[in-house]
Amino acid sequence: MDRSSSSKSRDASIPPGVGSSPVHLEGHLDLTAGQATDRGLRAANEDCMGLRIPEGPTRTLKGVAAVIADGVSSAEAGREAAEVCVQSFLSDYYGTPDSWTVKHSAQVVLTALNRWLYAKSHGTHEAHRGYVSTFSAVVFKSRTAHLFHVGDTRIHRLRGDRIELLTRDHSTRISDRDCYLARAMGMDAHLEVDYQEIEILPGDCFISTTDGIHDWIGTEEIAETVQEGLASGQPFEEICAAVAGRAKRAGSDDNLTCQLVRIDAVEPAETDELVRALTRLPFPPPLTVGDRIDGYRIERELHASPRSQIHLVVDEETAQRFVMKTPSVNFEDDPAYIERFVMESWIGRRIDHPAVVRIVDGPRPPRFLYHLMEEVEGETLGEWRAARETVEIRDVVELVEQIAGGLRAFERMEMVHQDLKPDNVLVDREGRARILDFGSCWVAGIHEIAVSIERDVALGTASYSAPETRWGETAGVRSDLFSLGTLAYELLTGQLPYGEAIESCRAPKDFERLEYVPSHHWNPMIPIWIDGALRKAVSLRAGRRYETFSEFIYDLKNPNPRFLRGENRPWIERNPTRFWRIVAAVLLVLELGTLWLWLG
């Protein structure tokens, strides 16, 4: 047997403190894993395998990864390709942002890896050597197993006495023993990876094998060998070696590799445990000008609401000025509120863009719950608009373009701001827009982690939030696009695109009664093509909005021929809801008339 290993331990390669996360998210994902490989009758072993079992925040945010690869024997560099696949995935996956989903993180890594392998095999001095390998990986995060697969390696799940093959071979068989791969890493410039999510339960066993095993023994034989080993308490690497040995005795003439991962426990942190973690730091006492907290002196109050207070503070040691945001004591017993407040600083530290206000770390560990922001001298976007009787369209478009740039920074981190409104955008002394307040942000990677508290569904401000957010859904970029379009409309007209009625809408049927008011109804100086861009951005149906911020900004700056038709468009395009209502009403009248004539 060439290599084997078993592990329940932490990943020693990750130093403590790196990639720290909110401790309240840390639940219990315990597992035991082992692996073994044998070159069999071959002169060299072209299989490769790898496990990464981190502890603490990294396990919570990125999960545990098990990877297996089989270098294609007909490719001269198959062995190197398999090793690169395993080693690079286990390294690069954990280097992706912890706000990304498992799927997005893995696909970015695999796409880059495939391009590198393909380039090595085509158009370089090593083009005569084929860098081609199969690849299968399982990432366990919270309550879910995320499977990534290309080629003819396999992943099975053993639950109780039932074993199930979770992957399908990407190969074409031409005889009992001969088949050709249709898909593999490095085979084609375009990579298509099978992906699926599977709920995991305690006791589940995930078994990954190369074709040197599953081409020679069936799934039931694999399950039988694993069950016997588990029942006798064998170390996991010995169980994997036993599976390989059984295939070898069955006549396998290929490399043989097996991985085994058993889920021992999977559950989010208990509610009491979670609340203790969230309330580790107490709420600050009520603060007034001149008060001191953690070495900061309160200079003045900038904003106060029932949910939070914002003060300008000065560090008494360095004389540096910061903006301090503190939670409201009204929510001391609300875990969902405290979680959002904690997450706000976590999110802010991961966004670095000129159009986003920076969250900063203070020089001393905090003794109370608050966070510090850079000081931005200026006014809110609402104050900026109120101070002007009229605004130039080009000035509004410039500000909207800057805000869109900041929202792209959230998009790159797989985040949705969800509370874009005039009070959450600052305009500094140089006229530059800065987004603030991340308390309503939706983070894709965090959304994958199960928690034991009930989170608020509808966040954000009703007048500016996309309809789908009212019932707890998000359309990603398109949700923030609705808010940005509403903001642009209001800056240009002083009104909301659907009026005040949107604030009372809760269910999908409520939004069907809303009607868009053309922006040039309020401001005749707005060109029809700009109104067309605004109308599309604030469409009540997410699928009809722009797909990207760039498209919206381009149409605000360049006349779109489609919008130049303006009111000459067919009525069904301008107001499809009203059109079909009237059609339905006419048909109903005709049906009733026909019925009356027939009865008469």
Side-chain angles (χ1 to χ4, degrees):
M1 200 60 60
D2 299 315
R3 298 189 301 274
S4 64
S5 66
S6 180
S7 179
K8 290 185 70 172
S9 61
R10 71 186 304 275
D11 185 344
S13 66
I14 301 176
V18 174
S20 59
S21 73
V23 294
H24 71 279
L25 293 174
E26 295 182 16
H28 301 284
L29 173 59
D30 299 327
L31 48 79
T32 305
Q35 55 188 1
T37 186
D38 189 336
R39 65 183 174 87
L41 301 180
R42 297 289 179 91
N45 194 343
E46 295 177 325
D47 290 353
C48 192
M49 59 189 182
L51 293 164
R52 188 158 180 180
I53 309 177
E55 292 290 347
T58 305
R59 181 182 295 201
T60 301
L61 292 168
K62 303 303 291 184
V64 173
V67 186
I68 193 169
D70 179 4
V72 176
S73 57
S74 59
E76 186 178 336
R79 178 176 180 175
E80 291 94 323
E83 290 178 349
V84 168
C85 283
V86 172
Q87 294 170 7
S88 296
F89 183 86
L90 291 178
S91 171
D92 296 348
Y93 169 78
Y94 287 94
T96 57
D98 45 17
S99 58
W100 284 7
T101 59
V102 172
K103 180 180 180 181
H104 183 51
S105 298
Q107 288 184 336
V108 167
V109 170
L110 291 174
T111 298
L113 183 55
N114 181 71
R115 287 173 180 167
W116 186 87
L117 291 171
Y118 184 78
K120 291 285 284 185
S121 300
H122 301 79
T124 71
H125 66 281
E126 296 183 281
H128 64 285
R129 308 181 70 207
Y131 284 77
V132 182
S133 175
T134 67
F135 179 91
S136 295
V138 189
V139 177
F140 303 94
K141 179 179 176 182
S142 190
R143 295 173 171 175
T144 305
H146 302 260
L147 277 61
F148 304 88
H149 168 71
V150 57
D152 62 0
T153 42
R154 292 180 181 176
I155 303 172
H156 314 74
R157 181 185 62 189
L158 178 62
R159 176 173 286 176
D161 294 328
R162 182 170 179 266
I163 188 169
E164 179 183 1
L165 178 61
L166 301 176
T167 56
R168 64 184 182 91
D169 294 347
H170 302 137
S171 59
T172 301
R173 185 165 295 280
I174 59 174
S175 68
D176 290 343
R177 288 298 175 201
D178 295 319
C179 65
Y180 290 96
L181 279 176
R183 262 196 265 168
M185 296 289 294
M187 180 177 286
D188 192 273
H190 172 72
L191 177 66
E192 185 179 351
V193 178
D194 288 353
Y195 169 77
Q196 59 179 310
E197 299 177 12
I198 296 176
E199 182 184 11
I200 55 178
L201 299 175
D204 282 352
C205 290
F206 288 80
I207 308 162
S208 300
T209 58
T210 56
D211 58 358
I213 291 177
H214 55 249
D215 277 359
W216 296 88
I217 59 175
T219 54
E220 295 301 327
E221 293 173 281
I222 293 173
E224 181 182 281
T225 307
V226 170
Q227 288 172 322
E228 289 175 356
L230 293 174
S232 62
Q234 284 183 277
F236 275 37
E237 68 272 12
E238 292 184 11
I239 298 175
C240 292
V243 173
R246 186 164 183 169
K248 194 173 182 180
R249 291 191 299 275
S252 176
D253 57 358
D254 201 350
N255 304 144
L256 310 98
T257 300
C258 178
Q259 262 183 347
L260 173 62
V261 179
R262 183 185 65 197
I263 307 300
D264 297 325
V266 52
E267 56 187 18
E270 296 290 339
T271 302
D272 291 345
E273 181 183 350
L274 187 148
V275 171
R276 279 196 300 273
L278 286 172
T279 56
R280 180 177 57 88
L281 292 175
F283 277 36
L287 299 172
T288 58
V289 174
D291 287 347
R292 289 168 172 78
I293 177 173
D294 287 354
Y296 304 104
R297 185 179 67 254
I298 307 299
E299 290 289 289
R300 71 174 187 270
E301 183 180 84
L302 301 176
H303 176 77
S305 73
R307 302 188 66 81
S308 62
Q309 299 80 40
I310 300 177
H311 296 90
L312 178 67
V313 301
V314 174
D315 186 332
E316 295 192 300
E317 289 184 4
T318 65
Q320 189 173 1
R321 291 152 64 97
F322 299 101
V323 172
M324 176 184 288
K325 183 173 183 178
T326 58
S328 169
V329 293
N330 298 330
F331 299 93
E332 272 189 305
D333 57 352
D334 186 341
Y337 169 89
I338 301 172
E339 184 194 29
R340 287 196 304 278
F341 193 91
V342 169
M343 289 302 301
E344 184 170 359
S345 60
W346 184 89
I347 291 166
R349 289 184 176 90
R350 282 153 178 78
I351 302 292
D352 183 14
H353 192 275
V356 180
V357 173
R358 288 187 301 112
I359 300 288
V360 297
D361 291 317
R364 296 169 295 276
R367 295 184 299 115
F368 296 93
L369 183 61
Y370 60 82
H371 56 257
L372 299 174
M373 298 174 278
E374 62 174 325
E375 181 191 12
V376 178
E377 295 186 9
E379 56 191 344
T380 68
L381 192 58
E383 293 168 338
W384 179 89
R385 180 62 179 86
R388 292 159 175 78
E389 186 174 340
T390 60
V391 293
E392 294 289 337
I393 292 177
R394 64 174 178 271
D395 293 339
V396 170
V397 171
E398 183 178 349
L399 284 172
V400 170
E401 184 173 14
Q402 292 173 16
I403 297 168
L407 292 175
R408 283 194 203 97
F410 286 88
E411 178 192 0
R412 285 191 290 270
M413 300 300 288
E414 275 203 280
M415 300 178 182
V416 182
H417 187 277
Q418 290 198 141
D419 196 19
L420 189 68
K421 59 182 179 180
D423 287 345
N424 284 344
V425 178
L426 294 176
V427 181
D428 65 19
R429 300 298 187 203
E430 286 73 39
R432 296 173 301 193
R434 310 286 294 276
I435 301 170
L436 71 157
D437 196 338
F438 318 131
S440 297
C441 278
W442 181 87
V443 184
I446 298 299
H447 191 69
E448 292 180 321
I449 303 172
V451 293
S452 56
I453 60 172
E454 185 175 348
R455 288 168 166 155
D456 291 336
V457 173
L459 298 172
T461 304
S463 299
Y464 302 90
S465 297
E468 62 273 6
T469 63
R470 306 293 176 87
W471 44 89
E473 297 178 3
T474 178
V477 169
R478 286 172 164 164
S479 291
D480 273 351
L481 253 167
F482 181 94
S483 302
L484 183 62
T486 301
L487 200 65
Y489 184 103
E490 186 179 29
L491 290 175
L492 289 168
T493 68
Q495 305 291 328
L496 295 172
Y498 297 98
E500 302 296 333
I502 194 171
E503 295 185 10
S504 60
C505 295
R506 294 292 178 269
K509 64 178 182 179
D510 298 332
F511 288 93
E512 293 177 3
R513 295 193 291 266
L514 298 179
E515 291 188 19
Y516 174 83
V517 180
S519 57
H520 46 73
H521 172 81
W522 306 106
N523 183 352
M525 300 303 294
I526 298 175
I528 290 176
W529 52 273
I530 284 186
D531 181 68
L534 295 172
R535 182 193 294 265
K536 183 171 182 177
V538 301
S539 174
L540 296 174
R541 296 187 180 182
R544 292 182 178 175
R545 297 175 208 147
Y546 290 98
E547 293 184 9
T548 66
F549 295 110
S550 299
E551 290 178 290
F552 176 45
I553 299 303
Y554 184 85
D555 279 356
L556 286 179
K557 300 170 74 173
N558 301 275
N560 186 327
R562 183 169 176 270
F563 299 147
L564 289 174
R565 289 184 292 162
E567 297 303 316
N568 293 323
R569 291 182 303 155
W571 189 19
I572 189 173
E573 289 186 22
R574 287 186 280 122
N575 198 327
T577 302
R578 173 171 283 190
F579 174 84
W580 288 112
R581 280 180 182 168
I582 291 177
V583 168
V586 170
L587 290 174
L588 177 62
V589 170
L590 291 174
E591 288 288 340
L592 291 174
T594 302
L595 180 62
W596 181 79
L597 290 173
W598 182 74
L599 292 175

